Amino acid sequence: MIEPMKKVSVVLLNKEKEEALKALRKIGLVHLEKLEGSSDKLNAFKEYTNNAVVSESILGEIKLAKSTKKNVHELSDSRVIQLCADVVAKSERKKQLLEEISADTTELDRFTSWGGVSLEDFDYLKEKGIIIRMYEISADKYSLIDQEIETILVNNDKKNVRFLVIGHETRPEKLLPEAFEVPFPRMSTDALQTEIRNDEKEIRDIEKFYFENAKYIPAIVKFRKNLESDIEFENVNAGMAHEQTDSENELAWISGYVPVADLEEFKAACAQNQWALAYADPEDEDLEVPTKLRNNKFVSLIYPLTDFLGTVPGYHEYDISGWFLLFFTIFFGMIFGDGGYGLLVTAIAILMILKNLFTKKKVPALLGLVTLVGFATIGWGIVTCTWFGLKPEQLPAWLVNLSIPQISNAYTGPDWTPFWKPDATEGLTNAQNLQIFCFSLALLQLSVAHIKAMIRNRKSLKVLGDFGALLQLIGMYWVVLSMVVSSSVFSFTEKIYGFPIGLFEICLVGVGFVLSFIFSNYEGSIGASVLESCKNIISVLLGVVNVFSDIVSYIRLWAVGLAGAAISNTVNEMAGPLLGHFITFIFFVMLVAFGHGLNMILNLLSVIVHGVRLNTLEFSSHLGMSWSGLKYSPFSEKVKK
């Protein structure tokens, strides 16, 4: 469940705000509203943090010996600040040097064909009254230069001729337009080469500095993490609102949110610290109300996944942790799809749990989640007779007998006739039965979404719009079965024990659409609700199509599982011929381990992509959730490790 919050405001003396904030942080119950403070101290902290981040990135590229990494190299905060500033400064200097080297190298390349160029010599000749300019021209044009222009040939190749023009301050008027004047370098080529060598030496010195100080990365990381708490504190300290009276009794105040369950404790703390306190229920307009989830230990197993995804329900939305865990577990088992893989996952998780228990460490919730989904995978492997991609004849008979014939890989006999048509000429294959199972999961999960919405809106006519959406979902379920699974078994004229189920399902879609059209936007007026639907008629019509596509989307569970099974079978077929020879046995083990290991990794990625998507997109969209929540993060002391 989402814990209810109270919006609180604390008023205190401005001159005591720093000590009050320290006490407030020690209490650790208030999730503060967003503040943007500004102070020299805060700016300094941010600069230290930026320098530390840059230093970690630069020094982290240095490869150190294992013995150096194992030794702890401590530094005082002042030394860390200076070291990070030096690293950043040297980084900027190195960047500048590299730019200089690049520019100098480009300049040298420009005069490679000319040989060395000395500006001093040109200046000396100019002082003697001899003005020289440098030109290039194509080889076939050089002989066409006017004889009145005094030139000196420097060198030539098949394409170009390089020459000097003597005695002209500017470009000679009679010089061919094809002649290109070569600008002088910014310094002599010898000086450019010297500058490059000096810059390269300075870069080597900088890299030596990096290498010598890379051992202090842990100290920099520790400093940066500790600084995060200081930045948070100073940001609040500088951003608190206060009176502008210049009085000794000037007041300051701050607002935030406290869980209702902790309100009495917070009231007592305010009384003890002599702070004035006001509190009220959050309003719908409050967009920064944090979300704090509270569930039992079993449902909390889903938290490692939602924390990894960064998905937090809004305060005014739903806590679907339990449903998320239930359906994610089912989806995981179906996508992994192989009982053998499930055994491996479960065994590894249990061994790690036992290790933590033996060493008296806290068992991470992630291991509990892995164990749960491992058992789900084993269960799916049992009912479908899927074990490491082995063929049914390669498995023990008792294991085959545990599977459910209608969806088991071990049964490929005649198609299964529907229970309401025992004399039907056309039945359903195992693959079709699996598709039906996927679509039934869609119906179940999405129905839960609409039922929860109906419960929330039970005191409003909007509940009829939610009920209409549920009817559309139920009716569209039959449409999907007819169009995707079998148009003959699930025809629109189909009757079950004389009841026209096909026609009834189509009517549900129509009735549901009408109810949804009239009441889905209800906010006190039916006319306004209908008008709003008319304004968005295209979206309303597309909503019916979206119901169809959302149900069909669940077929990915069958398709991805089928792909994983195909990879397993391929690996076994490739490795099979190697098993009969002792010499090739090691290659058999390597191929099987690599192939099935790769398949498990691909399955894990598929779970993240597909299994999570069905919960956070299809299910959540029918529930009306946008995952716009802000996680409850109280202003509290951070444990410095």
Side-chain angles (χ1 to χ4, degrees):
M1 61 171 288
I2 296 177
E3 286 201 40
M5 292 281 172
K6 288 288 185 180
K7 186 174 183 178
V8 300
S9 295
V10 178
V11 183
L12 44 89
L13 291 175
N14 188 39
K15 64 181 180 181
E16 299 176 355
K17 70 175 183 178
E18 190 162 337
E19 292 302 318
L21 287 177
K22 291 179 181 178
L24 190 65
R25 186 167 64 174
K26 190 173 183 180
I27 295 170
L29 292 176
V30 185
H31 178 105
L32 298 178
E33 290 185 332
K34 188 176 181 180
L35 294 174
E36 291 294 339
S38 178
S39 68
D40 294 338
K41 190 175 182 180
L42 181 61
N43 292 336
F45 284 163
K46 290 181 177 179
E47 181 182 356
Y48 298 158
T49 299
N50 292 335
N51 289 349
V53 171
V54 173
S55 299
E56 288 177 43
S57 175
I58 293 173
L59 300 182
E61 297 177 358
I62 307 298
K63 294 184 179 180
L64 297 176
K66 292 183 179 180
S67 57
T68 305
K69 291 182 179 180
K70 290 181 180 180
N71 296 329
V72 179
H73 302 276
E74 296 289 348
L75 280 181
S76 64
D77 288 352
S78 59
R79 288 281 306 280
V80 172
I81 291 172
Q82 185 60 51
L83 173 60
C84 292
D86 291 342
V87 170
V88 172
K90 289 184 180 295
S91 172
E92 293 297 324
R93 177 56 181 164
K94 182 180 178 181
K95 181 180 178 181
Q96 180 184 355
L97 291 171
L98 290 172
E99 290 175 352
E100 288 182 4
I101 291 174
S102 177
D104 290 348
T105 302
T106 302
E107 192 79 339
L108 284 175
D109 291 342
R110 193 161 63 89
F111 293 95
T112 300
S113 301
W114 285 84
V117 177
S118 174
L119 295 183
E120 293 78 6
D121 292 344
F122 283 104
D123 292 338
Y124 175 78
L125 292 173
K126 188 175 183 180
E127 290 176 2
K128 300 300 182 180
I130 303 173
I131 300 174
I132 298 176
R133 306 177 74 85
M134 304 167 62
Y135 287 89
E136 288 186 11
I137 195 170
S138 59
D140 58 340
K141 297 290 185 178
Y142 180 69
S143 60
L144 302 178
I145 296 177
D146 196 300
Q147 296 297 321
E148 294 181 5
I149 301 174
E150 187 175 356
T151 63
I152 298 176
L153 176 66
V154 176
N155 60 48
N156 66 285
D157 51 37
K158 293 181 179 180
K159 293 184 178 180
N160 298 311
V161 173
R162 283 158 286 279
F163 63 97
L164 304 176
V165 174
I166 302 173
H168 291 274
E169 285 281 357
T170 60
R171 182 186 179 92
E173 293 182 2
K174 295 182 179 182
L175 186 61
L176 294 174
E178 291 84 357
F180 168 72
E181 183 174 2
V182 179
F184 289 127
R186 64 183 182 85
M187 65 175 66
S188 301
T189 52
D190 288 343
L192 287 172
Q193 291 173 345
T194 301
E195 186 173 81
I196 289 175
R197 288 194 294 269
N198 292 338
D199 289 349
E200 289 175 342
K201 180 181 181 302
E202 190 173 351
I203 288 176
R204 288 194 295 270
D205 292 340
I206 292 174
E207 290 175 345
K208 181 181 178 182
F209 173 83
Y210 291 163
F211 183 81
E212 291 173 348
N213 290 281
K215 60 187 177 183
Y216 296 118
I217 289 180
I220 295 174
V221 173
K222 179 181 177 182
F223 170 77
R224 177 181 56 77
K225 290 184 177 180
N226 291 341
L227 198 59
E228 291 175 357
S229 178
D230 296 333
I231 290 176
E232 180 188 30
F233 182 89
E234 184 58 28
N235 184 61
V236 175
N237 185 34
M240 277 185 68
H242 60 87
E243 293 180 315
Q244 303 289 340
T245 61
D246 295 328
S247 168
E248 187 174 329
N249 295 323
E250 183 180 274
L251 298 178
W253 57 89
I254 194 169
S255 299
Y257 299 89
V258 174
V260 171
D262 300 321
L263 185 61
E264 292 302 320
E265 179 184 349
F266 183 65
K267 288 168 63 177
C270 289
Q272 183 179 356
N273 288 279
Q274 298 182 335
W275 301 333
L277 172 66
Y279 57 89
D281 292 327
E283 299 179 357
D284 293 339
E285 292 76 18
D286 292 325
L287 302 178
E288 295 185 359
V289 185
T291 301
K292 182 180 180 182
L293 302 179
R294 183 178 64 187
N295 290 291
N296 57 50
K297 289 184 178 180
F298 180 75
V299 174
S300 299
L301 292 177
I302 198 63
Y303 289 170
L305 177 63
T306 54
D307 290 343
F308 170 74
L309 297 172
T311 53
V312 181
Y315 179 75
H316 300 290
E317 293 183 338
Y318 303 89
D319 175 19
I320 61 169
S321 299
W323 295 109
F324 198 131
L325 178 64
L326 171 63
F327 287 105
F328 176 78
T329 302
I330 297 172
F331 299 159
F332 189 102
M334 294 179 66
I335 291 174
F336 248 68
D338 193 297
Y341 292 172
L343 283 173
L344 291 176
V345 171
T346 306
I348 293 173
I350 291 176
L351 287 175
M352 295 181 69
I353 291 174
L354 293 176
K355 179 183 177 182
N356 280 273
L357 293 175
F358 182 76
T359 56
K360 297 182 179 180
K361 293 181 180 179
K362 184 179 179 181
V363 178
L366 178 61
L367 291 179
L369 178 62
V370 173
T371 304
L372 177 64
V373 297
F375 277 119
T377 308
I378 294 173
W380 187 254
I382 290 174
V383 298
T384 59
C385 195
T386 308
W387 300 92
F388 292 113
L390 296 174
K391 297 178 180 179
E393 55 268 22
Q394 296 174 307
L395 297 171
W398 63 269
L399 197 57
V400 174
N401 294 333
L402 289 176
S403 63
I404 299 176
Q406 285 78 4
I407 59 174
S408 173
N409 294 319
Y411 297 89
T412 57
D415 296 343
W416 306 96
T417 56
F419 68 90
W420 67 88
K421 297 171 66 175
D423 300 327
T425 58
E426 181 181 350
L428 298 170
T429 65
N430 286 23
Q432 289 175 313
N433 287 330
L434 284 171
Q435 293 173 12
I436 294 172
F437 182 78
C438 293
F439 297 143
S440 299
L441 274 178
L443 177 63
L444 175 61
Q445 187 178 26
L446 301 183
S447 295
V448 168
H450 291 295
I451 291 172
K452 288 180 70 69
M454 290 170 61
I455 293 174
R456 165 163 285 193
N457 297 317
R458 62 187 180 277
K459 296 181 180 180
S460 167
L461 286 179
K462 195 171 183 178
V463 68
L464 295 177
D466 298 322
F467 181 65
L470 178 61
L471 294 182
Q472 287 185 71
L473 177 69
I474 297 172
M476 197 61 71
Y477 171 71
W478 185 272
V479 176
V480 171
L481 294 180
S482 177
M483 298 183 68
V484 179
V485 180
S486 173
S487 59
S488 60
V489 175
F490 301 100
S491 67
F492 296 133
T493 58
E494 186 65 37
K495 293 183 179 180
I496 297 181
Y497 300 122
F499 182 76
I501 183 66
L503 180 61
F504 177 74
E505 297 285 347
I506 296 300
C507 292
L508 287 182
V509 175
V511 173
F513 176 80
V514 172
L515 289 174
S516 181
F517 186 88
I518 297 174
F519 297 103
S520 61
N521 298 302
Y522 181 80
E523 294 293 343
S525 171
I526 296 178
S529 178
V530 173
L531 181 60
E532 188 65 25
S533 296
C534 291
K535 290 180 181 179
N536 302 291
I537 187 62
I538 296 178
S539 299
V540 173
L541 294 175
L542 289 177
V544 181
V545 180
N546 288 337
V547 175
F548 177 87
S549 63
D550 287 346
I551 297 175
V552 172
S553 182
Y554 281 70
I555 202 172
R556 69 183 69 231
L557 298 171
W558 167 73
V560 175
L562 187 64
I567 293 175
S568 297
N569 292 333
T570 302
V571 171
N572 292 342
E573 290 177 2
M574 292 173 61
L578 302 176
L579 187 58
H581 305 280
F582 176 78
I583 299 177
T584 58
F585 179 75
I586 188 170
F587 296 102
F588 166 82
V589 174
M590 292 173 60
L591 180 58
V592 168
F594 174 78
H596 286 288
L598 178 62
N599 194 26
M600 291 180 69
I601 294 174
L602 293 175
N603 286 340
L604 180 61
L605 294 175
S606 298
V607 168
I608 296 175
V609 173
H610 302 292
V612 170
R613 172 204 161 100
L614 293 175
N615 282 289
T616 57
L617 185 59
E618 276 81 358
F619 178 53
S620 299
S621 63
H622 282 256
L623 199 55
M625 288 185 61
S626 59
W627 298 102
S628 58
L630 180 66
K631 188 174 182 179
Y632 172 70
S633 180
F635 184 61
S636 60
E637 293 180 332
K638 305 297 187 295
V639 179
K640 297 186 177 183
K641 296 184 180 180

